[in-house]
DNA sequence: TATTGTTATACTCTATAACTATA
DNA sequence: TATAGTTATAGAGTATAACAATA
């Protein structure tokens, strides 16, 4: 049997599976999912971004980004404003979106806490620093 | 704006997004996906497991596990054998499955390498050890 | 009664391709 | 010609609910 314990991709996938499952549970009462919260966070960090820019930030294409915005708009969390370029839409959080985001982040923080329980403060900082180092930060949408 | 840099869940999701994207590219020529490889690995680690047990190991339900086995069987990578309990199927890798798995793991190793490039040997071991510590290892399917 | 596999159906998230309107 | 948004369609991966066979 192959030594899966040493496969970074496999281990990360297993961890993500668990984190995602817990996040999904935590977000269920909001009618949200991890993918939607991620989109919401990117929009919050880049108010007025276009749908195409949002897609680039999330590594998804225009059509998929539009569907996400549709879902968030239906939930009343974001709105499409007119942009300088009349072809584009400027996507921004509504007041309800800002409020909801705070509640969701707190719910996610609790879900993360359950996962991170085995780690002390230093180990958590090290882990976060390492992940940040590896991750191409796709939160710039402009 | 909320400090997303310090949100473990958000950072992990972003990292997973990138790792998954590269893994998907690497597996494309095999007609495989990360989810299918994970299932294949669990089956390889637990030869003769039932579909329900596979589902438990992957945190998915029976119906979804059956679909995965169907896909892997169609690709000729696994086979359903008769189990002690005639209600169940014993799922095992075929010879082709074992061969293909080696090639896939090598392809994934290369994809991981591209992500891990910023880390030295020690940092990689630390990261892997930490992830293993957090991850409830769902690779026991029996 | 409980469990295994199965089928049917549906939802989320992604993709591609083609269309429109504007640049 | 290129770009932003849209629509239609499709596929992967998940879920629930109900069914047959077996324990």
């Amino acid at each position: 049997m192959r030594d899966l314990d040493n496969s970074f991709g496999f281990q990360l996938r297993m961890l993500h599976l668990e984190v995602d499952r817990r996040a999904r549970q935590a977000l269920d009462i909001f009618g949200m999912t991890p993918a939607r919260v991620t989109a919401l966070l990117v929009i919050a960090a880049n108010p007025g971004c276009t749908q195409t820019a949002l897609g680039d930030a999330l590594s998804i294409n225009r059509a998929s980004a539009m569907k996400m915005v549709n879902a968030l708009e239906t939930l009343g969390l974001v709105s499409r404003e007119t942009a300088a370029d009349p072809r584009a839409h400027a996507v921004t959080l509504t007041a309800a979106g800002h409020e909801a985001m705070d509640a969701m982040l707190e719910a996610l923080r609790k879900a993360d806490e359950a996962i991170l329980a085995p780690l002390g403060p230093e180990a958590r900082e090290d882990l976060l620093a390492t992940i940040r180092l590896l991750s191409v930060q796709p939160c710039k949408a402009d």
Side-chain angles (χ1 to χ4, degrees), chain A:
Chain A
M1 175 58 194
R2 204 59 61 277
D3 187 6
L4 296 179
D5 283 2
N6 287 322
S7 166
F8 168 67
F10 181 75
Q11 295 295 332
L12 183 69
R13 182 172 170 80
M14 291 294 99
L15 177 58
H16 178 262
L17 214 69
E18 181 66 14
V19 171
D20 192 74
R21 195 184 62 75
R22 285 175 190 263
R24 211 164 284 278
Q25 269 185 337
L27 294 171
D28 198 43
I29 54 168
F30 300 103
M32 292 283 280
T33 60
R36 288 181 186 179
V37 170
T38 305
L40 193 70
L41 294 174
V42 171
I43 295 167
N46 301 276
C49 67
T50 65
Q51 295 178 178
T52 299
L54 174 64
D56 288 346
L58 295 172
S59 295
I60 61 181
N61 69 14
R62 285 177 300 161
S64 301
M66 197 203 62
K67 277 198 177 181
M68 290 297 298
V69 173
N70 284 347
L72 296 176
E73 197 180 36
T74 298
L75 288 167
L77 303 179
V78 307
S79 67
R80 289 173 161 102
E81 315 285 346
T82 55
D85 184 336
R87 289 174 301 180
H89 290 161
V91 184
T92 55
L93 258 66
T94 62
H98 278 289
E99 259 184 57
M101 194 175 75
D102 286 346
M104 291 169 199
L105 284 175
E106 177 55 19
L108 288 174
R109 200 197 52 74
K110 282 183 189 159
D112 288 354
E113 173 56 37
I115 298 277
L116 291 170
L119 300 186
E122 290 168 40
R124 292 184 193 200
E125 276 190 36
D126 286 352
L127 176 60
L128 205 53
T130 303
I131 291 181
R132 268 203 300 264
L133 188 64
L134 298 183
S135 211
V136 180
Q137 297 300 320
C139 41
K140 269 277 157 277
D142 295 308

